[in-house]
Amino acid sequence: MSEWKTIVVGVDGSSGSRTALSWAAAEAGDHGAELVVVNVWEHTLLPPAGSVTVSEHYVPDPSQRTADDLVRVIKEQLGDDPPVLVQPRVKQGSPAKVLIEESANADLLVVGTRGHGGFAGLVLGSVSQHVAAYAQCPVTVVR
């Protein structure tokens, strides 16, 4: 078996990303690699509520909620004591861009075929298409 040190997996909580997480954890175990679980959120402003401007005070920072959600998903999929070293990471930005950046320090990048967004009839989602085309390491798209 090849020696991998780091496997990165993108997780958005969708069933496809949960399957990718389980697959990536098994691979990390087989290769003795660390598993980096990445969740990416995009900052969006709430629409104005009767006013021309929206104060930043009224836009909640979703990063903590997302971190809690990510840890919950990891525990649901891998249990309370995963068989591999798991490093959860929550980042802000475009999911495809952040995962491509994370691939620079990875031996393998794993994503599901489809996440929460997009059109259900497509075989691959936009994130999986982008990372497959531009990642800086091998990519596995788990179905």
Side-chain angles (χ1 to χ4, degrees), residues 107-141:
D107 297 298
L108 179 67
L109 174 61
V110 181
V111 292
T113 54
R114 304 204 36 73
H116 282 301
F119 301 97
L122 297 176
V123 175
L124 289 179
S126 62
V127 172
S128 56
Q129 283 182 331
H130 277 86
V131 300
Y134 299 107
Q136 299 174 49
C137 68
V139 175
T140 298
V141 180

Side-chain angles (χ1 to χ4, degrees), residues 24-30 33-35 78 81-86:
E27 284 299 302
D30 288 347
E34 173 185 43
L35 183 62
L78 306 181
D81 189 22
V84 297
L85 177 62
V86 178

